[in-house]
Amino acid sequence: MAGIDALANDLFAAKRPLACVQQLERAQRAFARFEALRTSRRGTKSAEYVEIEDALWSFFQNCWYVKDWAKNDPALPSVVRQAVVDAAHTNPVLKTVQSLANGSKHLDLETETHKPKAKDGGIIFDEPGDGTIRLDFAISHDDGRVDRAAELATRALDAWRQILTDAGIGTRGLIPPSSAI
């Protein structure tokens, strides 16, 4: 029993990252699940479509709500909280993520300001030539543009890293930006 008590004390004594950084880490784990599930080898059983889709929508929801975790974190000065919220609301990639998160969370968005500006536009199958099949989702924008979900997710994680860094919030230990991978 002493071992468990010592472990508990060590865990509580460890400095936990700020709430918004924890939420960004949660979004990164959801994206990693999506990435792991969406690739399969020809002739092997792949993940079920709904598992892949669930991982993707989980990512977009967790990604957008980094904003709320920053907004409500009492450890951050109010000026920093507001800067993060303002930056999220003016970032075009995160605005798309907002639309996807809200659209996947609510069955019907009733007001015009909450109508989705982007939505699931269908499935994309890629065969890179190495015996694998990669599934992705098309994200259709209301202006006719189409993004691939995996690329949009990577850009969204990069946007959050930049916003948090600009706000003076450390993101050390997080998965590096896509340019460094």
Side-chain angles (χ1 to χ4, degrees), residues 30-47:
F31 181 60
R33 279 191 296 279
F34 171 70
E35 282 290 289
L37 290 170
R38 74 187 194 101
T39 302
S40 64
R41 288 222 158 267
R42 275 204 167 284
T44 63
K45 180 171 172 27
S46 64

Side-chain angles (χ1 to χ4, degrees), residues 3-14:
I4 292 175
D5 289 338
L7 176 61
N9 285 336
D10 288 347
L11 289 173
F12 287 116

